[in-house]
Amino acid sequence: VVKDDEPNAGIYPNGALVINAGMLARINTEDELVALLCHEANHFICNHYLENMAKIQKREIAGVIGSAVLGTAAGILTGSASLGLSATSLSMSVANDLNALVTAMGLSFNQSQEKESDQAAVDLLPLLGYDRNAMATCIQKIGNYYMEEGNLTAYYKSGNHPKIEDRIAATGIPYDRRDAGFEKKMAPCISFVAQVLYGKGRYTQALELADRNISNGAGR
């Protein structure tokens, strides 16, 4: 879990799965957490990084990129150049650096891969005993965040993600449900994001989060 108030999650080439505190603070049920895990794990299981690595190799053959970049890409895929990132030890700066490197090298997931992972979550959720609409609910909350920030273009800037409304339509019907027990477990993340928002002058949103910790018995 990374101390970042943006609602986001990701999995890296060596299998380290990262969820921002901002994502955990904005989901309300275990179903939504499992949906996120299913989505990210599918990227790894389906070798999306390796698919993108093959494209990089073609670019290298064409002389578009240098061999040093190709070697670095191969290194982080095989784990020989982890850049300090492991599944058990992660700093936010390292995560940001690796994310930037993955993006710069063209390893970022594309829209087709994102859609595939969305669908995998929808298919897996009922098999695991969870609400199949949880993925749609997560996507809606991510979209709401960018709309609240007045910066929906930030979501689309990489061109890697399908439209929010298309992702929701393809994954189900978002629900409005809370699980106080689950939210209590997420209380540290909720408190962290409330503090960040308060510092940004977003008092109403900060108080709404603080009220969640009061109502679920994790704060006063």
Side-chain angles (χ1 to χ4, degrees), residues 130 151 162 183:
Y130 294 99
N151 193 20
E183 289 186 344

Side-chain angles (χ1 to χ4, degrees), residues 40-59:
E40 298 302 337
N42 187 71
H43 283 306
F44 190 76
I45 294 166
C46 291
N47 289 321
H48 287 165
Y49 275 118
L50 293 178
E51 287 179 9
N52 297 340
M53 181 63 183
K55 296 176 184 177
I56 289 180
Q57 289 174 322
K58 290 179 181 179
R59 289 164 58 197

Side-chain angles (χ1 to χ4, degrees), residues 63-97:
V64 179
I65 62 174
S67 59
V69 172
L70 182 64
T72 303
I76 63 173
L77 283 167
T78 60
S80 60
S82 66
L83 302 183
L85 178 65
S86 72
T88 56
S89 177
L90 175 73
S91 71
M92 185 173 171
S93 60
V94 169
N96 287 338
D97 289 345

Side-chain angles (χ1 to χ4, degrees), residues 2-137:
V2 178
K3 281 189 172 182
D4 189 325
D5 65 305
E6 182 180 0
N8 204 354
I11 195 164
Y12 292 95
N14 66 348
L17 198 154
V18 178
I19 301 181
N20 287 0
M23 190 75 249
L24 294 176
R26 289 176 173 88
I27 60 178
N28 301 97
T29 66
E30 185 176 317
D31 302 65
E32 294 161 51
L33 175 59
V34 174
L36 288 169
L37 296 177
C38 287
H39 174 97
E40 298 302 337
N42 187 71
H43 283 306
F44 190 76
I45 294 166
C46 291
N47 289 321
H48 287 165
Y49 275 118
L50 293 178
E51 287 179 9
N52 297 340
M53 181 63 183
K55 296 176 184 177
I56 289 180
Q57 289 174 322
K58 290 179 181 179
R59 289 164 58 197
E60 165 65 10
I61 292 171
V64 179
I65 62 174
S67 59
V69 172
L70 182 64
T72 303
I76 63 173
L77 283 167
T78 60
S80 60
S82 66
L83 302 183
L85 178 65
S86 72
T88 56
S89 177
L90 175 73
S91 71
M92 185 173 171
S93 60
V94 169
N96 287 338
D97 289 345
L98 184 55
N99 188 55
L101 181 61
V102 165
T103 301
M105 290 189 304
L107 286 172
S108 297
F109 305 131
N110 56 46
Q111 291 194 20
S112 176
Q113 292 167 337
E114 293 293 349
K115 289 178 181 177
E116 180 182 9
S117 290
D118 281 350
Q119 188 59 50
V122 173
D123 293 340
L124 284 168
L125 283 164
L127 296 178
L128 298 171
Y130 294 99
D131 190 335
R132 68 182 301 120
N133 294 300
M135 191 70 236
T137 306

